Amino acid sequence: MTAAQETTPGTSGPPVWARRPANLATAVTAELVERIVRGVHPPGTPLPPEPALCGAFSVSRTVVREAVKILQEKGLVQVRQGSGTIVTPPSTWDMLDELVLAATIAEDDSLAILDDLVVTRRVLESDMANVAARLADEETVDRLRALVDRMDELVDDHVTYHEHDRAFHDVIMQASGNRIARGVVRALESQVVNTARYMGRTERALCVASNRGHRRIYERIAAHDPDGAAQAMITHITEAWLVRRSGPDTARLVR
């Protein structure tokens, strides 16, 4: 829970907010997203009726209706005439949505959603590396070389290292010219870049190994080798995640 304390839907009582939020509809939406993802309101079941939600959150019907509308836009509920507001299955949820993705990651002990995120990154970034190797000009190659050289100097400072790591990948994505793929990757990464579950271990040896992967990617792009750049990116993203992730189940990622 964040701003609100858990209550039994449909019960009345004092306001549930620990701090009264500035935007009530946004706060109610965030709370309902968390509850749906956690299974408090399972797929196929109706959300509590408007009066119950109004009482649980101490908000007006207008606020509840706005929150339900936002949940619909995120694919989490469907309003059915005569049946109420029904929670939809996870297959319909907008996984690029900030609230939905964050709540799903927080709830997923198996790390399966992070595995899927990494696979998605791998597909998109390997293709962008392929294109970048064909299109990269001298300035782009120089920027990549400078970043790789600088990361060699930053292996004892994992915070600054990872800032340069993200910059390296972004230079390649920009060089590809694929704004949609870049936008998807950046949106996904923004949700996990500061989470321990995604970043995993951070010791020096891992930074050293990671930058060896960066250097291979840079060398293939500098050589204008599209297939080699794509394969180097696939190998780098896969190996870096397998080292970072906790737990023994890696089969679904290595495919």
Side-chain angles (χ1 to χ4, degrees), residues 43-67:
T45 66
L47 282 183
E50 269 187 15
L53 291 174
C54 291
F57 293 107
S58 297
V59 296
S60 67
R61 286 178 179 265
T62 300
V63 169
V64 168
R65 288 170 184 169
E66 185 177 349

Side-chain angles (χ1 to χ4, degrees), residues 54-184:
C54 291
F57 293 107
S58 297
V59 296
S60 67
R61 286 178 179 265
T62 300
V63 169
V64 168
R65 288 170 184 169
E66 185 177 349
V68 169
K69 180 181 178 182
I70 298 171
L71 290 176
Q72 280 186 278
E73 293 170 353
K74 297 179 187 298
L76 272 72
V77 300
Q78 183 179 54
V79 178
R80 298 177 185 169
Q81 194 67 30
S83 300
T85 302
I86 307 301
V87 177
T88 56
S91 59
T92 70
W93 299 353
D94 179 5
M95 294 308 300
L96 291 180
D97 179 83
E98 177 180 355
L99 291 176
V100 177
L101 181 58
T104 304
I105 290 171
E107 190 62 23
D108 180 23
D109 291 334
S110 72
L111 299 185
I113 193 66
L114 289 179
D115 286 342
D116 288 344
L117 184 151
V118 171
V119 169
T120 302
R121 270 195 61 202
R122 186 174 66 188
V123 170
L124 295 177
E125 290 199 51
S126 63
D127 182 76
M128 286 187 278
N130 179 294
V131 176
R134 288 188 275 116
L135 301 181
D137 56 18
E138 186 176 345
E139 180 184 357
T140 296
V141 171
D142 287 345
R143 290 175 66 193
L144 292 174
R145 181 176 61 248
L147 284 164
V148 169
D149 289 345
R150 179 61 178 143
M151 281 187 280
D152 275 340
E153 301 170 353
L154 292 170
V155 292
D156 292 310
D157 178 1
H158 73 269
V159 173
T160 309
Y161 175 90
H162 287 303
E163 291 173 357
H164 285 68
D165 184 339
R166 291 190 291 275
F168 175 86
H169 285 268
D170 199 51
V171 168
I172 295 170
M173 291 190 289
Q174 289 186 68
S176 78
N178 191 332
R179 292 180 295 169
I180 292 177
R182 177 177 178 245
V184 171

Side-chain angles (χ1 to χ4, degrees), residues 183-229:
V184 171
V185 171
R186 285 167 62 89
L188 291 173
E189 283 251 289
S190 70
Q191 298 306 307
V192 296
V193 71
N194 293 316
T195 65
R197 303 185 81 201
Y198 180 71
M199 296 306 294
R201 295 150 49 205
T202 58
E203 59 258 34
R204 183 183 194 278
L206 299 184
C207 293
V208 171
S210 169
N211 209 36
R212 283 199 293 267
H214 292 144
R215 192 168 291 280
R216 285 193 293 269
I217 296 166
Y218 151 70
E219 289 171 348
R220 292 301 88 212
I221 291 175
H224 300 288
D225 174 7
D227 291 341

